Amino acid sequence: MTGAAVDRTGRPREVDGAFRLSLLAIAVNWVVWVLGAFVVHPTGFDEMRQEAGRQDALMQLALSAGAVLVISGVWLFCLLRMRAGRNWARIVMAAIAAFSVLFLLNSLSMNGFDRLTGTWLIHDVLLSDLPADLLFAAATALLFLPSSNAYFAAARGA
């Protein structure tokens, strides 16, 4: 890791930056979920309650929160392993980020951009996976910079 900016832990700043960006992405994902479920009108909970009734809406909300919790937990586990120098975690994160970008592009191609209104911006962009996906993509890019590559190669050799 010669010439790379390294902090006092021996990790390149890019790896720690990717870690922080990914933590931010997890937090953004939760904020978007809470806003979509409870705050921004029409809320997801209100729509589910009208369709299926209060009890089924609560169960669906609990299942949805559970899914977000499991995904966040798996992502956090991979983040901690990546930060410790495990190359497999970096590869898993890159694969997940690639699939997220592909799903995002597919969604954009199916929905199109012909509805450029303020409501479209809030509902289809800010309250979608886009902010978290962009943060994850940026974090993943940091993990494949030369100093990060050297860090993971050194950890593999140790």
Side-chain angles (χ1 to χ4, degrees), residues 6 31 35-36 48 50 52 66 84 100 114 134:
V6 177
V31 168
L35 288 174
M48 287 186 288
Q50 288 174 351
S100 292
D114 56 343
L134 291 176

Side-chain angles (χ1 to χ4, degrees), residues 23-77:
L23 288 178
L24 179 62
I26 291 170
V28 165
N29 201 30
W30 275 102
V31 168
V32 167
W33 184 85
V34 168
L35 288 174
F38 299 110
V39 178
V40 176
H41 184 74
T43 68
F45 179 70
D46 289 342
E47 289 178 338
M48 287 186 288
R49 189 178 64 219
Q50 288 174 351
E51 282 294 316
R54 181 174 172 78
Q55 191 65 26
D56 287 343
L58 288 172
M59 185 161 49
Q60 181 62 34
L61 203 60
L63 287 171
S64 176
V68 174
L69 184 63
V70 167
I71 291 168
S72 297
V74 168
W75 195 260
L76 185 59
F77 174 76

Side-chain angles (χ1 to χ4, degrees), residues 28 36 38 45 53 63 83 85 91 96 98 103 107 109 111 121 131 135 137 139 149 154 158:
V28 165
F38 299 110
F45 179 70
L63 287 171
R83 195 173 189 209
I91 292 168
I96 292 171
F103 286 129
S107 176
S109 72
N111 293 335
L121 178 66
L135 288 168
N149 288 335

